[in-house]
Amino acid sequence: MIVIKSIREMQSISESARKSNRIIGFVPTMGYFHDGHLSLMKIARPKCDLLVVSIFVNPIQFGVNEDFSKYPRDIKRDKELCESVNVDIVFIPNECEIFPPDFSTKVEIAGRVTECLCSAFRPGHFSGVATIVAKLFNIIKPHFSVFGQKDAQQLVVIKKMVKELNSPVEIVAGATVREQDGLAMSSRNEYLTPEHRQVAPVLYKSLLRAKDLLILGQKDTSVIISEIRKFIDSNGPFKIQYIEILNADTLESIASAKGKIIIALAAFLGKTRLIDNIVVEL
Amino acid sequence: MIVIKSIREMQSISESARKSNRIIGFVPTMGYFHDGHLSLMKIARPKCDLLVVSIFVNPIQFGVNEDFSKYPRDIKRDKELCESVNVDIVFIPNECEIFPPDFSTKVEIAGRVTECLCSAFRPGHFSGVATIVAKLFNIIKPHFSVFGQKDAQQLVVIKKMVKELNSPVEIVAGATVREQDGLAMSSRNEYLTPEHRQVAPVLYKSLLRAKDLLILGQKDTSVIISEIRKFIDSNGPFKIQYIEILNADTLESIASAKGKIIIALAAFLGKTRLIDNIVVEL
């Protein structure tokens, strides 16, 4: 495994790999790995000849009052974990090289996919994500890239960007990995107090209950949403930000559940913001 | 020479060419060729193994009151002219394939380079240009791409986009090609009445006079700009949109001329908008 920091060096390695018909797989991350990240690498590993993982805490996807500066980092441990799943290259670019002082280019995806779920609460977030991913795709030139289903809206936005900018990259989704009690893995779980950590799985339980209601025939999404809300409110000190039931591919709102739908939510426990979702096929 | 219409087919040809170490040169155009376009193809030809020219009148770079629908088109003649300068591939994509109905991705370059010259008068224009160029680069995967110096601001914007999105494409500038009387070649010259065509070279003459003033030691850009304005106003029925003297690389405004500067202007003759510029090294 090698560690690359220079953009130019990474680009030249990728270019050579493509010329010699080696398939490049790519997992973009902000580091501080948990089993969710590792599962994405394990999905990519057998599908490629050169597995590249980037570690970059991307400043432009954080809002002014968000946790950019305190976002957890542990590069040494991250490198060891990459090695343990046979990553070939860890790309750790320098922030100043990625965003030089007069940087002013943005990739923006407008419309429904950035008007729902997290968008209202994290203005600029998805543009920040799309911009860094567009850059990383130009640097790493992957044949495919793996993104976690946990960040469901991000996955939809990136798929749309890739399609609309004609990026020659296949987007692969990796299932959400959960703790034994059901809590979706996230680097931000680190922030939870022991008390909050204990109640955090309520979010996933609320999603499973909603799924049960759907399977039992409840089609009215507003009824299901209010059931989820009641369950969460009565099982912990959560502050719910949103609960939405949408078409899983377009993120269009739906009144009556049918087809492939996503139930997605965001809630605070103290200052820690947690998101989770499940996809249900009806 | 072959004509390709399908995005997928173009991508696959480019991918194969890169694998076999063939250098891809690319000239993006909106067609209706004049010698300016052909000069860009001639610059590219000896530098590459596969020369691709795209013809696509890009709707998203035209404003609502601009000339998208009446923009001149002559695909048959364009193909013959491509053949005459040994182009390998003419890429003529379908508008619906480039911009499917729910298309909503934009590449935006903010800051000085899109706050001067044409920007105020053509809102959204440079974002439309950057977006189509980003798409074409992903489809054609060129090693280098040639853009005309006539569209000076476009050239600066594309250079900035390529640098900031880490696109692995070298941007080459092609000098402005002029009619014998000095008028910069443009597909829009077609719109001029015979009377307007006759006075149109006044714009270039005003730039040459400004260059003389600079060489003679006049540093005050406001003095030079007012001389240009006087000359144009007294030599034809022009409606001047802007005259600016800027740093040629950053497009920063300069009060006292030094270094590499650009003198750029836009003016109407009747309903036809003409632009021109010269770069002067002091």
Side-chain angles (χ1 to χ4, degrees):
Chain A
M1 189 183 83
I2 59 172
V3 175
I4 302 286
K5 300 199 168 189
S6 140
I7 291 177
R8 187 178 292 261
E9 197 179 346
M10 186 68 240
Q11 269 178 322
S12 123
I13 291 173
S14 299
E15 184 65 17
S16 307
R18 287 191 83 103
K19 272 191 191 158
S20 37
N21 279 310
R22 298 176 75 199
I23 300 296
I24 305 174
F26 174 45
V27 180
T29 82
M30 301 212 298
Y32 209 73
F33 295 151
H34 50 65
D35 284 349
H37 297 103
L38 298 181
S39 78
L40 305 181
M41 300 174 204
K42 287 176 194 164
I43 289 169
R45 181 67 278 180
K47 293 163 60 75
C48 64
D49 303 302
L50 187 74
L51 174 53
V52 182
V53 171
S54 67
I55 302 177
F56 182 67
V57 184
N58 174 32
I60 65 168
Q61 74 185 66
F62 288 80
V64 280
N65 297 315
E66 291 185 1
D67 55 346
F68 173 64
S69 57
K70 71 161 185 163
Y71 196 85
R73 291 156 168 95
D74 189 344
I75 289 285
K76 185 168 171 292
R77 181 169 167 274
D78 286 348
K79 284 185 202 165
E80 288 162 9
L81 288 170
C82 282
E83 191 116 46
S84 77
V85 293
N86 292 315
V87 168
D88 297 304
I89 295 179
V90 188
F91 178 55
I92 311 178
N94 188 298
E95 192 180 319
C96 305
E97 200 188 354
I98 291 286
F99 297 119
D102 63 343
F103 186 90
S104 67
T105 300
K106 254 192 210 172
V107 179
E108 299 261 18
I109 293 91
R112 180 62 198 167
V113 301
T114 54
E115 281 162 4
C116 57
L117 304 174
C118 294
S119 299
F121 308 100
R122 305 193 70 187
H125 171 69
F126 288 108
S127 169
V129 170
T131 304
I132 189 69
V133 171
K135 284 169 68 71
L136 290 169
F137 283 180
N138 279 334
I139 295 167
I140 290 158
K141 305 183 179 85
H143 292 80
F144 69 90
S145 184
V146 191
F147 290 79
Q149 177 61 39
K150 155 111 183 324
D151 296 308
Q153 189 175 7
Q154 170 175 282
L155 184 60
V156 173
V157 169
I158 294 298
K159 278 185 180 169
K160 188 164 162 70
M161 176 188 82
V162 158
K163 184 175 152 227
E164 298 194 347
L165 289 185
N166 307 102
S167 305
V169 182
E170 182 200 350
I171 303 302
V172 176
T176 302
V177 178
R178 299 179 181 280
E179 305 288 354
Q180 288 212 323
D181 59 8
L183 176 64
M185 291 199 182
S186 164
S187 306
R188 290 188 171 100
N189 293 347
E190 180 81 2
Y191 301 149
L192 294 168
T193 63
E195 295 72 25
H196 286 156
R197 173 63 192 83
Q198 211 177 341
V199 295
V202 162
L203 296 179
Y204 182 52
K205 287 199 189 96
S206 78
L207 294 173
L208 291 180
R209 283 171 62 95
K211 186 178 175 179
D212 286 346
L213 289 174
L214 283 163
I215 289 166
L216 289 170
Q218 178 57 265
K219 298 285 175 215
D220 186 333
T221 56
S222 64
V223 170
I224 296 167
I225 288 169
S226 85
E227 287 298 320
I228 296 173
R229 186 176 298 275
K230 264 189 264 171
F231 183 81
I232 293 174
D233 281 341
S234 55
N235 283 288
F238 294 95
K239 271 179 289 178
I240 296 170
Q241 202 173 54
Y242 65 75
I243 304 167
E244 293 190 51
I245 301 182
L246 310 171
N247 176 299
D249 296 318
T250 63
L251 304 187
E252 294 288 347
S253 215
I254 42 177
S256 177
K258 65 168 178 212
K260 190 179 162 199
I261 64 165
I262 183 167
I263 316 172
L265 54 78
F268 280 90
L269 272 174
K271 287 182 175 174
T272 305
R273 184 175 178 274
L274 300 173
I275 59 172
D276 203 350
N277 71 84
I278 55 171
V279 173
V280 184
E281 290 254 17
L282 292 172
Chain B
M1 189 180 85
I2 59 172
V3 176
I4 302 287
K5 299 200 169 188
S6 139
I7 292 176
R8 187 179 292 260
E9 197 179 346
M10 186 68 240
Q11 271 179 319
S12 122
I13 291 174
S14 298
E15 184 65 17
S16 307
R18 287 192 82 104
K19 272 192 190 158
S20 39
N21 277 311
R22 298 177 75 198
I23 299 295
I24 304 174
F26 174 45
V27 181
T29 81
M30 301 210 299
Y32 209 72
F33 295 151
H34 50 65
D35 285 350
H37 297 103
L38 298 181
S39 78
L40 305 181
M41 300 174 204
K42 287 176 193 164
I43 289 169
R45 182 65 280 180
K47 294 163 60 76
C48 64
D49 304 302
L50 187 74
L51 175 52
V52 182
V53 171
S54 66
I55 301 177
F56 182 67
V57 184
N58 174 32
I60 66 167
Q61 73 185 68
F62 288 80
V64 279
N65 296 315
E66 290 184 3
D67 54 347
F68 173 65
S69 56
K70 70 162 185 162
Y71 195 85
R73 291 153 167 98
D74 189 343
I75 289 284
K76 186 168 171 290
R77 181 170 167 275
D78 286 349
K79 285 186 201 164
E80 288 162 9
L81 288 170
C82 281
E83 190 114 48
S84 77
V85 293
N86 293 314
V87 167
D88 296 304
I89 295 178
V90 188
F91 178 54
I92 311 177
N94 189 298
E95 193 181 318
C96 305
E97 200 188 353
I98 291 286
F99 297 120
D102 63 342
F103 186 91
S104 67
T105 300
K106 254 193 209 172
V107 179
E108 298 261 18
I109 293 92
R112 180 62 198 168
V113 300
T114 54
E115 282 162 4
C116 55
L117 303 175
C118 293
S119 299
F121 308 100
R122 305 193 71 187
H125 172 68
F126 288 108
S127 169
V129 170
T131 304
I132 189 68
V133 171
K135 283 170 67 72
L136 290 169
F137 283 0
N138 280 333
I139 295 167
I140 290 158
K141 306 183 177 84
H143 292 81
F144 70 90
S145 183
V146 191
F147 289 79
Q149 176 62 39
K150 156 106 185 321
D151 297 308
Q153 189 174 8
Q154 170 176 281
L155 184 61
V156 172
V157 169
I158 294 297
K159 278 184 180 168
K160 189 164 161 70
M161 176 189 83
V162 158
K163 184 176 153 226
E164 298 193 346
L165 289 185
N166 307 100
S167 305
V169 182
E170 181 201 352
I171 302 303
V172 176
T176 302
V177 177
R178 297 178 181 282
E179 303 289 353
Q180 287 212 322
D181 60 9
L183 175 64
M185 289 195 185
S186 165
S187 305
R188 290 188 172 100
N189 293 347
E190 180 81 1
Y191 301 149
L192 294 168
T193 63
E195 297 70 28
H196 286 157
R197 173 64 191 82
Q198 211 176 342
V199 296
V202 163
L203 297 179
Y204 183 51
K205 288 200 187 94
S206 77
L207 294 173
L208 291 180
R209 284 171 63 95
K211 185 177 176 181
D212 286 346
L213 290 174
L214 284 163
I215 289 166
L216 289 169
Q218 178 59 264
K219 298 284 177 218
D220 187 333
T221 56
S222 65
V223 170
I224 296 168
I225 288 169
S226 87
E227 287 298 320
I228 295 174
R229 186 177 296 278
K230 262 190 263 171
F231 183 81
I232 293 174
D233 280 340
S234 56
N235 282 288
F238 295 94
K239 272 179 288 177
I240 296 171
Q241 201 172 55
Y242 65 76
I243 304 167
E244 293 192 51
I245 300 183
L246 310 171
N247 176 299
D249 296 318
T250 62
L251 304 186
E252 294 289 344
S253 216
I254 43 177
S256 177
K258 66 170 178 210
K260 189 177 162 200
I261 64 166
I262 183 167
I263 317 173
L265 53 78
F268 280 90
L269 271 175
K271 287 182 174 173
T272 305
R273 183 174 179 274
L274 300 173
I275 59 171
D276 203 350
N277 70 84
I278 55 172
V279 173
V280 184
E281 291 255 17
L282 293 172

